[in-house]
Amino acid sequence: QVQLVESGGGLVQPGGSLRLSCAASGNIVSIYVMGWYRQAPGKQRELVATINSGETTAYGDSVLGRFSISRGNAKNTVYLEMNTLKPEDTAVYYCNANLRVPQRITGMDYWGQGTQVTVSS
């Protein structure tokens, strides 16, 4: 089975920075897209950033210019560099991967367990 394991969340002051990491493991044939979503209390889960196998990136409007997504050399790891953090960035951040396993001919979405990011003074 596939696992996505996140790390790097925590408490940071406004204006500070954090780096999230996510590693995918298991019997994986191909990873098409990896990304990050977040969910704040009482709000819907929203897109933060994605990166596909061709290294094309996309960002949510609220993080554009402050956050940067990248993939590791092994291509099964994704990073989210978060700068100039604001209190409204406080949320649980979830890693997502659209990938194919041997039992399927198309990709499907997998999710990590989430990591808390709190921006507060």
Side-chain angles (χ1 to χ4, degrees):
Q1 52 271 39
V2 173
Q3 278 192 318
L4 301 181
V5 179
E6 302 121 328
S7 61
L11 173 64
V12 63
Q13 291 188 341
S17 299
L18 275 178
R19 188 187 196 217
L20 304 183
S21 301
C22 172
S25 63
N27 197 3
I28 299 169
V29 175
S30 298
I31 299 178
Y32 303 117
V33 183
M34 295 190 78
W36 293 91
Y37 292 74
R38 68 186 183 186
Q39 188 166 18
K43 295 188 176 181
Q44 288 189 328
R45 191 172 295 189
E46 65 173 357
L47 166 72
V48 176
T50 61
I51 183 168
N52 66 16
S53 57
E55 304 291 318
T56 298
T57 59
Y59 295 91
D61 289 344
S62 61
V63 306
L64 196 60
R66 299 187 298 123
F67 291 11
S68 178
I69 190 170
S70 61
R71 292 178 74 165
N73 290 333
K75 304 302 181 186
N76 68 325
T77 302
V78 65
Y79 305 101
L80 184 69
E81 189 74 36
M82 304 185 293
N83 298 311
T84 320
L85 282 160
K86 305 175 182 180
E88 50 263 43
D89 294 317
T90 296
V92 178
Y93 284 68
Y94 295 93
C95 179
N96 168 269
N98 186 273
L99 55 85
R100 187 166 76 87
V101 295
Q103 300 89 335
R104 298 179 62 88
I105 59 172
T106 58
M108 65 180 291
D109 283 334
Y110 291 82
W111 294 89
Q113 79 284 356
T115 185
Q116 177 70 46
V117 172
T118 302
V119 185
S120 174
S121 54

